[in-house]
Amino acid sequence: MGVFQLKNTVNKKIFIEGSVNLEAVWNRHKLQLKSGRHPNAELQKDWNEFGESKFVFEVLKEIKQSDAEHVNYNREVNTLIDLYMNELQPFGDKGYNKRNR
């Protein structure tokens, strides 16, 4: 669980997302990009142009499972996403995310 970025090492643009299952969401993005069907057209364009080797997957913050009951991990992930979006501003020339998240 946590937040990750997919970083283009050529133009330094980043894509930020989070999930309660980082491995699954990363595998989904990778499959979509490799098959040319990623919903983010700009990210897909750069993936096609520069190739997989020019992108790096990095976990920004991992959430460890708590012993406490009733932890809302989806809310925890969304809070972290908001924090990283505000801090890194992955929009326009700096990233692939859209502001209307």
Side-chain angles (χ1 to χ4, degrees), residues 41-59:
E42 188 178 356
L43 176 57
Q44 183 68 64
K45 177 184 153 299
D46 283 357
W47 180 276
N48 293 346
E49 181 178 339
F50 300 116
E52 180 179 353
S53 66
K54 300 298 181 191
F55 285 83
V56 178
F57 172 80
E58 300 170 322
V59 174

Side-chain angles (χ1 to χ4, degrees), residues 2-35:
V3 176
F4 73 88
Q5 73 176 3
L6 180 59
K7 184 175 188 175
N8 181 326
T9 61
V10 176
N11 62 18
K12 307 301 184 219
K13 288 177 115 179
I14 59 175
F15 176 76
I16 293 176
E17 188 169 343
S19 175
V20 293
N21 187 333
L22 286 174
E23 185 176 348
V25 76
W26 168 236
N27 286 335
R28 177 176 50 88
H29 282 290
K30 197 171 179 182
L31 179 65
Q32 289 172 326
L33 288 163
K34 284 183 171 187
S35 66

Side-chain angles (χ1 to χ4, degrees), residues 50-72:
F50 300 116
E52 180 179 353
S53 66
K54 300 298 181 191
F55 285 83
V56 178
F57 172 80
E58 300 170 322
V59 174
L60 297 173
K61 181 73 173 181
E62 197 167 351
I63 299 171
K64 301 292 184 196
Q65 190 159 356
S66 171
D67 291 334
E69 291 184 31
H70 309 297
V71 176
N72 186 333

